Amino acid sequence: MRPPPAVFSDTDGGSSTTVDGEEEEGGECGSRGSLAPAAIPIPAEQARQWRDLFWLFVFVIHLLAFGSFLFVCGMNRFGKPDRLNIDRFTNITAEAPAAGGGDLPRMELTETFWPLYGVAGAVGTALAWAWLVLMGSPTRQMMKVSVHILTTYLAVISVLCFWGEHFFWGVAFAVGAALQFLYVMSVIDRFPFTMLVLQKAVKMVRDLPEVMRVAYAFLFVMLCWMVLWSFGVSGIIASSLDESIRWWLLVIFSVSLFWTGAVLCNTVHVIVSGMVFLVLIHGDRRSTSMPPKPLLKSLRFAVTTSFGSICYGSLFTAAIRTLRWEIRGIRSKIGSNECLLCCVDFLFHLVETLVRFFNKYAYVQIAVNGKGFNHSARDAWELFQSTGIEALIAYDCSGAVLLMGIILGGLVTGTCSGVWTWFRKSEEVLMVGSTAILMGMVLVGFAVVVVEGAVTSIYICYAEDPSLIQRWDAEFFHQMSEALHQRLQYRSARAHHTIMSNRFDQQSESPPF
């Protein structure tokens, strides 16, 4: 039997989440040791070590620097043009054009565009609130709708962009619609199992109302930052800068918003993962073996000693995870084109190597053991590979389905802001609409990450000890075990077929005697 994991240990010296030995391929998942909740030791209170401090400092400095610059940009055009006399540094306040000749300088103000971003914040918040409040059966229907309607929505926006003669954005949305359609077609057979996992994750979260309150609190914090962010971005759009410079500034500040939103979302992820892991380990949230005030302890760790690890992981995990889904979908649909298959396989193995060090399951280890991000990600992936659970995770598309819901929420938010902008300032529709899409995605992400945290914890607990899931939901345990058994058999058969094909090719190419 593996030694039990350190549950909410305050030290970093808790037992590793890797297993001691490899299981035989195709073996039963229930052969791993059983872990009785009464036998789990609760370590003594000790101080955790701060992890990934460099990225914590980078994130804090980034917030201070970008926040100050946003405030200056917004104030420069608030109430009157060039309030802070910044335009003298940009060579824009040159001589006024002669009467009847040349273009008049821009006289737009921050408050012209700030209400447009207010619409984006309101719509995004409403969608996130509806997601959290209606979590249950309606939410599962929302997940299905987001999967099937996203392609159509992207295609319609592409047509509108072409109609408005915005060819770059039209092509971008058309490519997005095509990739979305290809991905859905490549994994549509996995959706029944994916919806099962999401249904059980929703069930777990609904039994923990305190984590919903945490999500609301962090959503409010994000809204406060978005007030300042949209204020500064409105000042940039209203400024007299050249259009290309304004676009580059919007890109930079959009990356900043994405990172800030990802950090806050992943902080919620850590808190939710820690709570769900504790409930599964101890059997019930009212168990006497539960540590005192687990939510407050998880929150304290997430915003202090583990915050640097969250900032670090938030930079890379989303992009790498999305790239992995797309490559897996394309790889599964490639036929006998050996050249293309070789290129995709190279990218696949490269991304798989990155996933080993940047995966969302690291946040569970961060919540429970307080390790650094790379250490947590590596331990989680080694645990999955050594127990065979990686085959089940690769089959599950819950992360992709949740991402589709986030993208759809962002598109709805951007559409609402874009429509109003069209009637107010039609020439600025793309600037306002594209940034409003990002705002909506970040806000809806706070609702989605609650379910994602439960999904990651379920897989970690299933890999640690399947009896934890069996005790929580016996029917779900049998369904997961059956799916895992089928995936291991499929991989074994595919590996055998590949070996036999290679041997046949070698025999065919060998010269006759």
Side-chain angles (χ1 to χ4, degrees), residues 315-480:
L315 270 175
F316 307 104
T317 50
I320 293 174
R321 182 174 46 180
T322 304
L323 183 61
R324 182 173 184 253
W325 291 330
E326 293 295 343
I327 291 179
R328 278 185 177 273
I330 295 173
R331 187 170 178 255
S332 65
K333 291 300 179 182
I334 293 178
S336 57
N337 190 327
E338 294 184 1
C339 180
L340 182 59
L341 183 60
C342 181
C343 295
V344 172
D345 272 341
F346 172 77
L347 293 176
F348 175 77
H349 291 300
L350 178 62
V351 172
E352 288 294 303
T353 301
L354 293 175
V355 167
R356 184 181 183 88
F357 298 96
F358 298 99
N359 61 74
K360 61 183 179 180
Y361 302 95
Y363 296 117
V364 184
Q365 305 282 19
I366 290 173
V368 176
N369 294 318
K371 302 175 183 177
F373 184 84
N374 284 144
H375 190 184
S376 299
R378 185 173 61 252
D379 283 355
W381 208 245
E382 288 176 356
L383 172 64
F384 291 145
Q385 290 187 322
S386 61
T387 55
I389 307 300
E390 193 273 335
L392 195 60
I393 291 175
Y395 185 71
D396 178 26
C397 301
S398 57
V401 171
L402 293 175
L403 178 61
M404 293 174 196
I406 293 175
I407 295 174
L408 183 61
L411 290 175
V412 172
T413 303
T415 301
C416 294
S417 295
V419 169
W420 192 17
T421 307
W422 177 265
F423 293 104
R424 297 284 299 274
K425 289 286 182 181
S426 60
E427 67 275 9
E428 308 294 354
V429 168
L430 285 179
M431 286 190 177
V432 176
S434 58
T435 46
I437 288 174
L438 180 60
M439 292 177 63
M441 290 176 61
V442 170
L443 292 171
V444 176
F446 278 94
V448 170
V449 77
V450 176
V451 178
E452 188 173 41
V455 172
T456 55
S457 299
I458 287 173
Y459 276 117
I460 288 286
C461 286
Y462 186 72
E464 287 280 359
D465 186 356
S467 65
L468 300 175
I469 304 298
Q470 185 178 25
R471 183 180 59 214
W472 173 59
D473 192 320
E475 182 182 0
F476 180 50
F477 164 76
H478 291 300
Q479 291 169 326
M480 287 191 71

Side-chain angles (χ1 to χ4, degrees), residues 102-252:
D103 296 329
L104 293 174
R106 291 168 52 88
M107 299 296 291
E108 295 170 352
L109 301 177
T110 298
E111 51 265 39
T112 302
F113 300 98
W114 205 14
L116 305 178
Y117 284 112
V119 173
V123 174
T125 304
L127 292 175
W129 176 82
W131 222 99
L132 289 170
V133 171
L134 300 177
M135 189 171 290
S137 180
T139 302
R140 293 195 298 274
Q141 298 302 322
M142 289 169 56
M143 294 174 188
K144 295 179 181 179
V145 169
S146 65
V147 170
H148 297 292
I149 203 175
L150 182 56
T151 303
T152 304
Y153 209 114
L154 287 169
V156 170
I157 295 178
S158 174
V159 172
L160 292 176
C161 288
F162 283 122
W163 178 64
E165 298 184 353
H166 301 294
F167 295 103
F168 172 80
W169 291 100
V171 171
F173 282 111
V175 171
L179 290 176
Q180 165 70 8
F181 177 77
L182 290 175
Y183 178 77
V184 171
M185 290 298 100
S186 66
V187 300
I188 196 167
D189 58 314
R190 307 180 187 180
F191 281 165
F193 177 74
T194 296
M195 292 302 171
L196 171 67
V197 174
L198 290 174
Q199 177 183 354
K200 297 303 179 181
V202 168
K203 172 187 173 184
M204 171 62 74
V205 171
R206 287 189 65 84
D207 292 337
L208 297 171
E210 57 265 46
V211 302
M212 308 290 286
R213 292 192 289 269
V214 169
Y216 283 122
F218 275 82
L219 182 62
F220 175 75
V221 172
M222 190 66 228
L223 277 174
C224 292
W225 174 256
M226 278 189 175
V227 169
L228 175 59
W229 186 88
S230 58
F231 179 72
V233 168
S234 298
I236 291 173
I237 297 178
S239 68
S240 301
L241 293 171
D242 182 73
E243 185 177 8
S244 62
I245 297 177
R246 285 185 287 144
W247 269 111
W248 277 111
L249 287 174
L250 286 181
V251 170
I252 293 172

